[in-house]
Amino acid sequence: QVHLVQSGGGLVEPGGSLRLTCAASGMNFKLYTMKWYRQVLGKERELIATISSGGSTNHTDSVKGRFTISRGNIRGRVFLQTNSLKPEDAAVYYCSASAYEREFWGQGTQVTVSS
């Protein structure tokens, strides 16, 4: 059974940094495309970063240059390094694992950006 457990969210001041982690189990991690989404209450979930099984990455324009997705295949982890955080980055962040036309989700972690 696929299980994604997230950690690393919290409260940070504008300009600060957080590292989000998603730990995967119950799957052949290296075969999955991993993604980070975020969702603000009342809005649609937004895809912000993707890393393929081969390590190719893509970041949406609003986070490009500030956020970086990476993965560690040995331990089955995907990371989102968030730098220069802005108040508008505040959201619940979700990781997902997708392959074979299925997508699995982490539980979500709150990121709050406030002084």
Side-chain angles (χ1 to χ4, degrees):
Q1 182 177 358
V2 175
H3 201 206
L4 301 177
V5 178
Q6 297 180 221
S7 60
L11 172 65
V12 63
E13 293 185 349
S17 300
L18 286 172
R19 189 190 197 206
L20 307 184
T21 299
C22 176
S25 61
M27 57 191 275
N28 192 345
F29 180 79
K30 64 184 179 183
L31 299 181
Y32 282 71
T33 293
M34 302 300 296
K35 303 175 184 177
W36 285 99
Y37 294 76
R38 65 186 180 189
Q39 188 169 23
V40 176
L41 190 63
K43 295 189 176 181
E44 290 189 0
R45 194 169 293 188
E46 175 192 19
L47 175 62
I48 59 171
T50 302
I51 186 164
S52 71
S53 58
S56 298
T57 63
N58 189 52
H59 300 79
T60 194
D61 286 347
S62 62
V63 307
K64 202 169 289 185
R66 300 187 299 121
F67 292 10
T68 303
I69 189 171
S70 61
R71 65 190 296 159
N73 285 346
I74 294 176
R75 297 187 64 192
R77 304 282 192 270
V78 62
F79 308 98
L80 186 69
Q81 179 66 42
T82 67
N83 299 325
S84 302
L85 282 160
K86 305 175 182 179
E88 54 263 41
D89 293 317
V92 178
Y93 284 69
Y94 296 91
C95 65
S96 83
S98 59
Y100 312 110
E101 300 182 352
R102 299 189 66 183
E103 191 162 21
F104 302 93
W105 295 92
Q107 83 276 18
T109 185
Q110 178 72 50
V111 171
T112 303
V113 184
S114 176
S115 54

